[in-house]
Amino acid sequence: MGTQKFDERPFSRVVVTGGCGFLGSHLVESLVDEGCEVLAIDNFATGLRSTADLLADLKSVRVAEHDICENWNASSEVRDFFKKPVSHIFHFASPASPTKYTELPLETMWANSVGLGKALDFATSLGSRLIFSSSSEVYGFAPPPHAESAMGVANCFGPRACYVEGKRFGEALVYSYNQKYGASHGVVRIFNTYGPRMSPDDGRVVLNLGRRAIKGESLQINGDGNQTRSFCYVEDLNRGLLAYAARMICHPLNLGNDRQISINELALKIRRMVGNLKLPIEHLPSVQDEPIHRQPDLEQSLKLLQPWRPSVELDEGLKLTLEWIRSNYVSLSAEETIAKVPVAAI
Ligand SMILES: NC(=O)c1ccc[n+]([C@@H]2O[C@H](COP(=O)([O-])OP(=O)(O)OC[C@H]3O[C@@H](n4cnc5c(N)ncnc54)[C@H](O)[C@@H]3O)[C@@H](O)[C@H]2O)c1
């Protein structure tokens, strides 16, 4: 079968909502590398001000502190930026980790509905292409590997529903704008992504395990640890995002890495990498509605986003992430000798 061709939409001036978050800030940097002028809109619900400072140092980036659920025209930075054409809007504003979205359930639902609606209004009326950051969570309890054609089965009345249903509603909203206005907005279904700049308190497993291991604390795992995830290094995700956004693909595509690992194996690997085989592994109660397995079926993405494919090995990505955790989030005391052991990629 030949490669399907799509029209291309070159990047020029780009808006990233949630641009001071983990994924948003890496995306902003990649867009700058592509020669773009970028506006990052963020209200710091979960993003870090230190990330905003880092971005503000980049020549062609502006940061607007604004809640995307409020009137966008109320922000002079946002108003000014939209005076000239904007090629793309990446809608990344939303709490993303279970810890954060269960703390901020309504904010999560509004960001993926009201906030997304405002972004779609701007994009549609100004001819920008919007990319919505959806999630593997839309597949709910469906068995892996998750192909885009799977409908997903999810609990709409539970602690994770604000996020799962927020993303499902968001996808439907993008579809409806495309139908009603003949627009070409798109949806990416992102699977677990990790890397430097994850927020220290948002409870994501790589950061949690890495931080505790470096500090010499027990490694905490929810449930029996046999649940599996497929971890994608942020650099790989970014390349996929740019490939998707540049091509006028409108249907959802999975983005991530399809290599699965159990959380128990991940903990053992991190323990070896920080050089402390004696660290205890502690099992905490399992989390309600947590999916057992997550693994993207990448067949469509590999075909349509050629030559994209995830290429950073887990050991390499973890090494970079652990080094970053060590230098950013772990203050060393004389007793914390373990933190002085160099991170080995194994
Ligand atoms: N990281 C992952 O593995 C992953 C997986 C699937 C989907 N996603 C999606 O990607 C997007 C980014 O995730 P992340 O991991 O970077 O999370 P993050 O929490 O680090 O970043 C989200 C950013 O959005 C900002 N934000 C939230 N609500 C806002 C609002 N109302 N107005 C303005 N800014 C707001 C936050 O302050 C933060 O800077 C999210 O939409 C998330 O659902 C991420």
Side-chain angles (χ1 to χ4, degrees), residues 3 48 59 69 103 118 157 217 236 297 334:
T3 310
L48 303 174
K59 217 171 61 224
C69 300
E103 266 173 42
K118 291 192 190 299
F157 199 78
E217 295 171 353
D236 279 338
D297 179 331

Side-chain angles (χ1 to χ4, degrees), residues 233-251:
Y233 190 63
V234 63
E235 207 176 279
D236 279 338
L237 183 86
N238 258 353
R239 287 187 300 102
L241 284 171
L242 295 185
Y244 180 92
R247 291 164 211 193
M248 299 299 267
I249 305 170
C250 297
H251 55 80

Side-chain angles (χ1 to χ4, degrees), residues 2 42 59 77 80 120 145 176 202 207 242 256 295 301 304 335:
D42 208 297
K59 217 171 61 224
E77 290 101 329
D80 285 352
L120 282 165
S176 303
D202 78 4
L207 192 94
L242 295 185
Q295 183 190 34
S301 316
L304 299 179
E335 293 75 41

Side-chain angles (χ1 to χ4, degrees), residues 18 20-24 41-47 66-69 92-96 111 133-135 163 167 190-193 204:
C20 298
F22 163 48
L23 295 185
I41 308 178
D42 208 297
N43 70 347
F44 302 102
T46 56
H66 190 66
D67 183 335
I68 43 103
C69 300
F92 275 56
S94 167
S133 60
S134 183
S135 164
Y163 188 73
K167 293 299 180 191
I190 302 172
F191 283 67
N192 292 73
T193 302
R204 287 184 237 214

Side-chain angles (χ1 to χ4, degrees), residues 143-180:
H146 307 290
E148 288 85 350
S149 54
M151 302 283 179
V153 183
N155 179 5
C156 61
F157 199 78
R160 298 170 79 98
C162 58
Y163 188 73
V164 177
E165 298 302 333
K167 293 299 180 191
R168 289 173 67 92
F169 177 88
E171 289 202 14
L173 198 60
V174 172
Y175 180 88
S176 303
Y177 267 73
N178 286 349
Q179 284 300 106
K180 180 161 171 125

Side-chain angles (χ1 to χ4, degrees), residues 222-293:
N222 290 108
D224 64 10
N226 290 325
Q227 64 271 42
T228 62
R229 294 292 178 272
S230 313
F231 292 102
C232 180
Y233 190 63
V234 63
E235 207 176 279
D236 279 338
L237 183 86
N238 258 353
R239 287 187 300 102
L241 284 171
L242 295 185
Y244 180 92
R247 291 164 211 193
M248 299 299 267
I249 305 170
C250 297
H251 55 80
L253 277 189
N254 290 336
L255 282 182
N257 192 311
D258 55 2
R259 182 196 41 217
Q260 280 193 92
I261 182 170
S262 75
I263 300 304
N264 281 333
E265 286 173 289
L266 178 72
L268 294 176
K269 188 183 271 291
I270 289 179
R271 197 168 73 165
R272 280 201 306 275
M273 288 176 83
V274 300
N276 188 351
L277 297 178
K278 295 212 174 99
L279 280 179
I281 294 192
E282 190 186 343
H283 289 272
L284 305 178
S286 47
V287 175
Q288 188 187 334
D289 293 341
E290 186 189 356
I292 306 297
H293 302 294

